[in-house]
Amino acid sequence: MFENKDTSRTSISTLGEFGLIDHLTKHFKIAQKSTVVGIGDDAAILDFNTKKQVVVTTDLLVEGVHFDLSYMPLKHLGYKAVMVNLSDVYAMNAEATQITVSIAVSNRFPVEALEELYAGIQAAAVTYKVDVVGGDTTSSTSGLVISITALGQVAAEKATRRDTANEGDLLVVSGDLGAAYLGLQVLEREKQVFRVNPNSQPDLEKYTYLVERQLKPEARKDITALLAELEVLPTSMIDVSDGLSSEVIHICKKSNVGCNLYEDKLPLDPQVINTCEEFNLDSTTIALSGGEDYELLFTIKQDDFLKVKANPHLSVIGHITKESEGTHLITRANTKIPLIARGWNAMEEKE
Ligand code: ADP
Ligand code: MG
């Protein structure tokens, strides 16, 4: 993970708005051919000059609602804010090309804090080869607000929508589920312990994977590349941001189909299983409803089964049925229970 760095404090007012933008963005380099003019003019100029279609997506992150700076280092926050957007671009089977970054920030943040935030944004941009081509900067009277817009391109016939799954298709998910939600639980617990005893040293050794999944998620660009390599074009796709069951239901509703999901097929990391035991949580509930996994959930034709079957990054977790059959989970005990959409917000309220 990233290392912490923060010692001095320079007030934003010493640089002024223009000086600040310049200071934060001067190291950004252009990697995409389609970027003609990046930061520094009234608007960016992009020239896609292909027959591909353009995808656009935006996410807004608000301090206290989407992130908590007491355990989220700013560098990680910058990185994660980019990942959240790129994940949506990859869910369309598109290549991400540019982002814009807008921030509202109170003057309780020193310049050094924004440097950290932008170091995370830059690390993400470099790793995923997207250009930062603009944004806006303004002041906030309360918390930090970050809005990122991502652009990408995809050939029309390769775009993967939510509304195109068909009866008989197989449901597939990348990676594993539930770890980011548990990472958040671990960090929240440490925060409470720290409140009671500020001298306590957190021992997060057992939870490294969980905490990493919460603080430094990666958008699954590699999975879209893998699918292209395997010559599998999903019949529909969505990214898992709110929780698996909610995303499965989105695909089914939009596509007018039903599905059966198999409990014993849900991919779980050993740290998820162990931590669920420790926290007395049901790992299936966490896999279905824990949020922020940023994995890709997609449907494929049955004919493509052999191409994905033995792949360690992909799990076939169910199949698409007629709409009239509804959306169900088939448990290990072979009982059929209706899937319910409970995002991580709803889970928080329940407790
Ligand atoms: P304008 O007043 O025309 O909106 P700004 O002074 O806000 O222009 O921005 C100047 C340039 O800096 C523009 O290219 C804009 O896209 C870019 N920019 C502004 N804020 C940010 C930011 N937070 N991150 C990245 N680029 C930014
Ligand atoms: Mg502006």
Side-chain angles (χ1 to χ4, degrees), residues 190-200:
E190 289 312 318
K191 185 176 159 185
Q192 300 306 333
V193 171
F194 186 79
R195 265 197 196 138
V196 177
N197 177 10
N199 294 320
S200 68

mmCIF file of all heavy atoms in Angstrom, residues 190-200:
data_model
loop_
_atom_site.group_PDB
_atom_site.id
_atom_site.type_symbol
_atom_site.label_atom_id
_atom_site.label_comp_id
_atom_site.label_asym_id
_atom_site.label_seq_id
_atom_site.Cartn_x
_atom_site.Cartn_y
_atom_site.Cartn_z
ATOM 1 N N GLU A 190 -11.175 -0.535 14.734
ATOM 2 C CA GLU A 190 -9.912 0.058 15.194
ATOM 3 C C GLU A 190 -10.114 1.511 15.607
ATOM 4 O O GLU A 190 -9.500 1.994 16.551
ATOM 5 C CB GLU A 190 -8.844 -0.027 14.101
ATOM 6 C CG GLU A 190 -8.323 -1.426 13.841
ATOM 7 C CD GLU A 190 -7.948 -2.188 15.115
ATOM 8 O OE1 GLU A 190 -7.325 -1.584 16.020
ATOM 9 O OE2 GLU A 190 -8.293 -3.374 15.209
ATOM 10 N N LYS A 191 -10.979 2.210 14.872
ATOM 11 C CA LYS A 191 -11.246 3.615 15.183
ATOM 12 C C LYS A 191 -11.874 3.739 16.574
ATOM 13 O O LYS A 191 -11.508 4.620 17.353
ATOM 14 C CB LYS A 191 -12.188 4.178 14.117
ATOM 15 C CG LYS A 191 -12.470 5.658 14.245
ATOM 16 C CD LYS A 191 -13.345 6.106 13.071
ATOM 17 C CE LYS A 191 -14.066 7.400 13.387
ATOM 18 N NZ LYS A 191 -14.996 7.766 12.299
ATOM 19 N N GLN A 192 -12.798 2.826 16.906
ATOM 20 C CA GLN A 192 -13.437 2.842 18.233
ATOM 21 C C GLN A 192 -12.417 2.525 19.323
ATOM 22 O O GLN A 192 -12.388 3.192 20.352
ATOM 23 C CB GLN A 192 -14.588 1.810 18.305
ATOM 24 C CG GLN A 192 -15.708 2.033 17.304
ATOM 25 C CD GLN A 192 -16.302 3.437 17.371
ATOM 26 O OE1 GLN A 192 -16.279 4.081 18.410
ATOM 27 N NE2 GLN A 192 -16.813 3.918 16.243
ATOM 28 N N VAL A 193 -11.572 1.532 19.052
ATOM 29 C CA VAL A 193 -10.536 1.152 20.024
ATOM 30 C C VAL A 193 -9.609 2.338 20.269
ATOM 31 O O VAL A 193 -9.277 2.674 21.408
ATOM 32 C CB VAL A 193 -9.714 -0.065 19.507
ATOM 33 C CG1 VAL A 193 -8.510 -0.332 20.397
ATOM 34 C CG2 VAL A 193 -10.595 -1.302 19.396
ATOM 35 N N PHE A 194 -9.254 3.022 19.195
ATOM 36 C CA PHE A 194 -8.350 4.171 19.276
ATOM 37 C C PHE A 194 -8.975 5.302 20.091
ATOM 38 O O PHE A 194 -8.300 5.992 20.843
ATOM 39 C CB PHE A 194 -8.008 4.653 17.867
ATOM 40 C CG PHE A 194 -6.973 5.741 17.832
ATOM 41 C CD1 PHE A 194 -5.624 5.441 17.979
ATOM 42 C CD2 PHE A 194 -7.353 7.063 17.652
ATOM 43 C CE1 PHE A 194 -4.667 6.448 17.944
ATOM 44 C CE2 PHE A 194 -6.396 8.077 17.617
ATOM 45 C CZ PHE A 194 -5.061 7.774 17.759
ATOM 46 N N ARG A 195 -10.308 5.476 19.954
ATOM 47 C CA ARG A 195 -11.016 6.507 20.724
ATOM 48 C C ARG A 195 -10.878 6.261 22.209
ATOM 49 O O ARG A 195 -10.665 7.180 22.989
ATOM 50 C CB ARG A 195 -12.508 6.485 20.373
ATOM 51 C CG ARG A 195 -12.823 7.480 19.317
ATOM 52 C CD ARG A 195 -14.304 7.769 19.250
ATOM 53 N NE ARG A 195 -14.563 8.438 17.992
ATOM 54 C CZ ARG A 195 -15.586 8.194 17.205
ATOM 55 N NH1 ARG A 195 -16.488 7.311 17.556
ATOM 56 N NH2 ARG A 195 -15.715 8.841 16.070
ATOM 57 N N VAL A 196 -11.002 4.991 22.600
ATOM 58 C CA VAL A 196 -10.932 4.630 24.007
ATOM 59 C C VAL A 196 -9.486 4.681 24.496
ATOM 60 O O VAL A 196 -9.198 5.165 25.583
ATOM 61 C CB VAL A 196 -11.524 3.211 24.218
ATOM 62 C CG1 VAL A 196 -11.408 2.779 25.663
ATOM 63 C CG2 VAL A 196 -12.975 3.186 23.751
ATOM 64 N N ASN A 197 -8.573 4.197 23.664
ATOM 65 C CA ASN A 197 -7.164 4.157 24.055
ATOM 66 C C ASN A 197 -6.264 4.624 22.907
ATOM 67 O O ASN A 197 -5.830 3.837 22.083
ATOM 68 C CB ASN A 197 -6.795 2.719 24.474
ATOM 69 C CG ASN A 197 -5.323 2.601 24.819
ATOM 70 O OD1 ASN A 197 -4.619 3.623 24.929
ATOM 71 N ND2 ASN A 197 -4.847 1.376 24.973
ATOM 72 N N PRO A 198 -5.978 5.930 22.882
ATOM 73 C CA PRO A 198 -5.204 6.497 21.766
ATOM 74 C C PRO A 198 -3.794 5.921 21.644
ATOM 75 O O PRO A 198 -3.148 6.119 20.618
ATOM 76 C CB PRO A 198 -5.146 7.992 22.082
ATOM 77 C CG PRO A 198 -6.236 8.233 23.063
ATOM 78 C CD PRO A 198 -6.387 6.953 23.837
ATOM 79 N N ASN A 199 -3.316 5.210 22.673
ATOM 80 C CA ASN A 199 -1.970 4.638 22.591
ATOM 81 C C ASN A 199 -1.953 3.250 21.972
ATOM 82 O O ASN A 199 -0.891 2.674 21.758
ATOM 83 C CB ASN A 199 -1.334 4.571 23.978
ATOM 84 C CG ASN A 199 -1.088 5.965 24.523
ATOM 85 O OD1 ASN A 199 -0.679 6.860 23.779
ATOM 86 N ND2 ASN A 199 -1.373 6.161 25.803
ATOM 87 N N SER A 200 -3.157 2.715 21.688
ATOM 88 C CA SER A 200 -3.195 1.352 21.164
ATOM 89 C C SER A 200 -2.623 1.313 19.747
ATOM 90 O O SER A 200 -2.797 2.238 18.962
ATOM 91 C CB SER A 200 -4.638 0.831 21.137
ATOM 92 O OG SER A 200 -5.372 1.544 20.166
#
